[in-house]
Amino acid sequence: MEKTTPHIIDKDSLPAMFPTHRHSPEFWAALGHAVGTFGFLEEMLGKATHAFSGMRKIPEEGIDTAPHKWSGQSKR
């Protein structure tokens, strides 16, 4: 395994607002909104998937294992 060398960073010589100094605050705000929107969409898709695939009749003998099979987790 290769040995790493520690680096010393001169924080005083870095540009103001580093590492986000190359874009405007409006860009970072828009990026944050986009990321937040995708997180919201992911949550809604999960709920929709549950509503469509989790809402079905389960035979009485499979009632204990069905939720674990549906979620992809094995029963422990």
Side-chain angles (χ1 to χ4, degrees):
M1 187 152 110
E2 192 175 320
K3 187 174 182 180
T4 59
T5 308
H7 298 340
I8 298 174
I9 298 174
D10 183 10
K11 292 181 181 180
D12 295 330
S13 67
L14 292 174
M17 307 270 300
F18 181 82
T20 61
H21 65 289
R22 293 189 180 193
H23 298 290
S24 68
E26 292 80 16
F27 168 80
W28 294 111
L31 181 62
H33 288 290
V35 170
T37 300
F38 279 109
F40 173 76
L41 288 174
E42 182 180 23
E43 181 181 347
M44 292 299 108
L45 283 172
K47 289 179 179 182
T49 301
H50 182 296
F52 286 119
S53 65
M55 304 276 296
R56 54 192 151 133
K57 283 250 187 223
I58 299 171
E60 192 67 36
E61 62 273 359
I63 201 85
D64 293 329
T65 59
H68 300 289
K69 286 181 183 176
W70 177 83
S71 69
Q73 300 173 357
S74 60
K75 188 175 179 182
R76 294 180 187 181

